[in-house]
Amino acid sequence: MRRILIDADTGIDDSIAILYALKSRNLHVEGITTCFGNSGAAQSADNCLRLIRLSRCGYEVPVVVGAECTLDGQVETAPAHIHGENGIGNVILPESARKPLEMDAADFILRKAEELDGELVIVTTGRLTNLARALEKDPRLPGKVKRVVTMGGCMDVPGNVSPVAEANIYGDARAADMVFRAGFHMILVGLDVTTKTFITEKELDDAERYCSEESRDAVAYIREALKLYFEYHRLSEGMVHRSFVHDPLALLIAEDASLGEYKMLRAGVEYQAPAFRGMILTDGRFRGEMDHDEIAVCVRVDADRAVRRLFSVFH
Ligand code: BDR
Ligand code: CA
């Protein structure tokens, strides 16, 4: 059983990732911290509480509201035509009786890392602001967690917010640079692989047909929320009745890294030159004593196996 903490900007694909994690028997969600991005951090936390209720996961999951702006105080949220006014495709899920934990998100991450004594896996599906703030408070954090798995970045494919940058990395590039260079055992799941992985109407039809009674509401929610996301993919990519699989892929890889192939690279993020903001810079020169600085960049994925597994938890 992997013990994970999810840090999310709970949009449509984040929400599918979160439902997957809550449903998977191989994962235990120790908590969710939220960040601005697809919507505000408080809205994201409210979405998380509703998703936890919808999942019927059978255990309590603390939710903590995190950063509402970048490390440098900028607030930029995604336009509503991507994830809807509320981040989850304008779907109104039943309210939760629970409230977010009144605690600083960085402190929550540090507390969980201590508590789990090296076992915690942190999966980020939004900006890296909360994790960077945790690092500022405790630079020894990388030695206290098992791994960080991050959805973000693009290496050999174009970005989705600029020719060189992906949204989560661009959205707080200085935070991303701090996290990349902090010495975490880190896996980066970027556009190179998430744009090779698709959810189509077929997966949704099959999910509806084969889901358990207990998962029927969750599958209905996914279908409804994806309407807007499919439309966004049609307008921006010319894709018909399908979407990329960004955030769920990070969760799937956190659970089973054998879904991907990796290249070890020393990497940082440009955050000063405006035209290159969010671009990942790599250094492939061999320097044995710096091996611990390398991160594992996912360069290939078994997309069919990943998508099959994604929907299998609803059966
Ligand atoms: C990332 O940006 C967000 O809109 C998605 O939720 C995903 O985390 C993809 O670039
Ligand atoms: Ca996200």
Side-chain angles (χ1 to χ4, degrees):
M1 171 81 77
R2 287 256 145 93
R3 304 179 73 176
I4 64 167
L5 182 152
I6 303 175
D7 187 273
D9 58 338
T10 316
I12 296 172
D13 61 329
D14 303 72
S15 72
I16 300 171
I18 290 167
L19 283 174
Y20 175 79
L22 293 168
K23 287 279 187 186
S24 171
R25 291 206 183 91
N26 305 319
L27 299 173
H28 187 273
V29 183
E30 298 288 329
I32 307 178
T33 49
T34 65
C35 187
F36 74 101
N38 294 324
S39 62
Q43 173 70 61
S44 282
D46 182 61
N47 293 343
C48 288
L49 292 166
R50 291 171 192 249
L51 289 161
I52 293 163
R53 174 181 168 171
L54 179 74
S55 77
R56 301 195 174 104
C57 63
Y59 60 95
E60 296 227 346
V61 182
V63 174
V64 185
V65 180
E68 291 285 11
C69 62
T70 66
L71 290 181
D72 300 320
Q74 285 142 0
V75 190
E76 275 172 331
T77 49
H81 71 278
I82 308 179
H83 294 271
E85 297 292 342
N86 65 353
I88 51 172
N90 300 324
V91 181
I92 310 293
L93 287 173
E95 222 174 300
S96 165
R98 311 238 160 241
K99 294 272 171 270
L101 212 64
E102 300 250 345
M103 188 175 179
D104 180 80
D107 288 340
F108 181 78
I109 293 171
L110 296 176
R111 194 184 84 188
K112 275 291 159 192
E114 294 281 352
E115 226 175 84
L116 295 182
D117 200 19
E119 279 310 302
L120 185 67
V121 174
I122 300 174
V123 187
T124 69
T125 62
R127 279 92 176 121
L128 288 161
T129 319
N130 290 330
L131 197 48
R133 288 194 54 249
L135 270 173
E136 280 177 339
K137 289 187 168 200
D138 183 0
R140 290 168 307 152
L141 178 63
K144 298 182 179 176
V145 300
K146 197 183 185 86
R147 179 172 298 157
V148 170
V149 182
T150 288
M151 189 283 130
C154 51
M155 310 293 283
D156 295 323
V157 297
N160 57 5
V161 281
S162 87
V164 297
E166 180 278 333
N168 290 340
I169 303 301
Y170 179 93
D172 194 345
R174 186 162 78 81
D177 184 59
M178 272 179 68
V179 172
F180 278 33
R181 297 191 299 109
F184 282 110
H185 290 288
M186 184 169 184
I187 297 182
L188 194 65
V189 181
L191 299 180
D192 300 71
V193 285
T194 64
T195 59
K196 309 274 183 321
T197 313
F198 305 96
I199 295 176
T200 70
E201 290 288 350
K202 176 173 181 331
E203 276 77 45
L204 298 178
D205 289 344
D206 287 352
E208 229 166 56
R209 192 166 309 132
Y210 301 118
C211 71
S212 64
E213 210 36 55
E214 192 192 79
S215 294
R216 195 159 293 287
D217 293 350
V219 169
Y221 158 73
I222 292 173
R223 171 148 244 168
E224 194 54 30
L226 279 174
K227 280 186 186 157
L228 187 73
Y229 210 45
F230 279 9
E231 179 59 8
Y232 162 66
H233 282 79
R234 187 181 71 76
L235 294 172
S236 61
E237 308 284 339
M239 289 160 54
V240 182
H241 299 314
R242 58 175 57 204
S243 73
F244 295 137
V245 181
H246 299 303
D247 296 337
L249 197 57
L251 262 297
L252 288 155
I253 284 177
E255 183 188 81
D256 178 4
S258 81
L259 287 169
E261 288 173 35
Y262 307 88
K263 195 167 168 185
M264 298 305 294
L265 288 167
R266 221 168 289 124
V269 176
E270 173 58 50
Y271 59 88
Q272 278 165 325
F276 299 106
R277 174 176 151 194
M279 180 173 173
I280 296 175
L281 310 168
T282 61
D283 176 4
R285 276 165 289 222
F286 177 72
R287 284 199 296 276
E289 79 282 5
M290 288 182 76
D291 274 0
H292 61 276
D293 287 345
E294 291 179 338
I295 63 179
V297 178
C298 187
V299 289
R300 257 179 298 279
V301 68
D302 186 340
D304 290 343
R305 190 155 69 94
V307 173
R308 263 201 314 277
R309 183 170 302 181
L310 175 60
F311 285 99
S312 69
V313 295
F314 301 102
H315 290 177

